[in-house]
């Protein structure tokens, strides 16, 4: 238990209790997606709609910059965009392909993601656009970042998590 040994100084909001991402019925490119069947890595999960407004674009940009700033650690982290209301718009697909290579698009049924998080004590922003989550290598959605968190907050937390964990 990493937190019991080291204590907590996280800047993101802990999702308590954490929720298992594989409790969602996810698809990627029309195929069933199971997180635990992927290579074990940390992940940024960016929930959004089938369209991407300026807040969505800003969150995508921020997570891309954080991912890049992790340096060698970036190889241990991946990014997912989760369309929480079904299939995404063609314009959003084009944006993701052009400006966010390596980001994988996931889709879930409308309301399913909010229902999953209802079991956790999160601030109202937990369901709002402009937030993103950290998923651990075992598929637990365990931390939330809102617009109140800075770039440096996330970098600090991720460097701590990467330094004190192993994926194998």
């Amino acid at each position: 238990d990493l937190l019991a040994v080291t204590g907590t100084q996280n800047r993101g909001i802990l999702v308590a209790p954490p929720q298992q991402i594989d409790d969602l019925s996810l698809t990627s490119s029309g195929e069933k997606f199971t997180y635990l069947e992927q290579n074990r890595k940390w992940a940024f999960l960016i929930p959004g709609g089938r369209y991407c407004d300026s807040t969505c674009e800003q969150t995508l940009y921020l997570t891309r910059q954080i991912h890049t700033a992790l340096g060698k650690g970036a190889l241990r982290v991946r990014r997912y965009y989760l369309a929480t209301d079904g299939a995404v718009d063609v314009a959003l697909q084009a944006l993701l392909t052009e400006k966010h290579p390596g980001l994988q698009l996931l889709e879930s049924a409308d309301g399913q993601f909010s229902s999953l998080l209802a079991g956790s004590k999160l601030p109202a922003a937990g369901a709002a656009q402009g937030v993103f989550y950290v998923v651990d290598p075992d598929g637990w959605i365990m931390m939330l970042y809102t617009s109140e968190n800075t770039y440096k907050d996330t970098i600090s937390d991720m460097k701590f998590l990467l330094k004190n964990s192993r994926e194998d």
Side-chain angles (χ1 to χ4, degrees), residues 88-105:
V88 300
D89 178 65
V90 173
L92 175 54
Q93 285 183 340
L95 171 77
L96 296 177
T97 301
E98 179 185 334
K99 295 189 177 180
H100 300 279
L103 180 140
Q104 187 170 354
L105 175 62

Side-chain angles (χ1 to χ4, degrees), residues 20-76:
Q20 180 54 242
I21 192 169
D22 280 340
D23 287 344
L24 298 170
S25 294
L26 299 173
T27 59
S28 178
S29 301
E31 301 290 323
K32 180 178 171 23
F33 177 87
T34 304
Y35 190 87
L36 292 176
E37 291 177 359
Q38 312 306 306
N39 291 335
R40 288 178 44 86
K41 290 187 178 188
W42 291 87
F44 293 136
L45 180 68
I46 306 142
R50 63 182 70 162
Y51 303 100
C52 193
D53 63 12
S54 61
T55 302
C56 167
E57 287 186 30
Q58 183 177 355
T59 304
L60 287 167
Y61 174 79
L62 176 66
T63 60
R64 184 182 71 205
Q65 295 304 101
I66 292 167
H67 188 248
T68 301
L70 290 173
K72 290 188 299 184
L75 297 173
R76 296 175 57 198

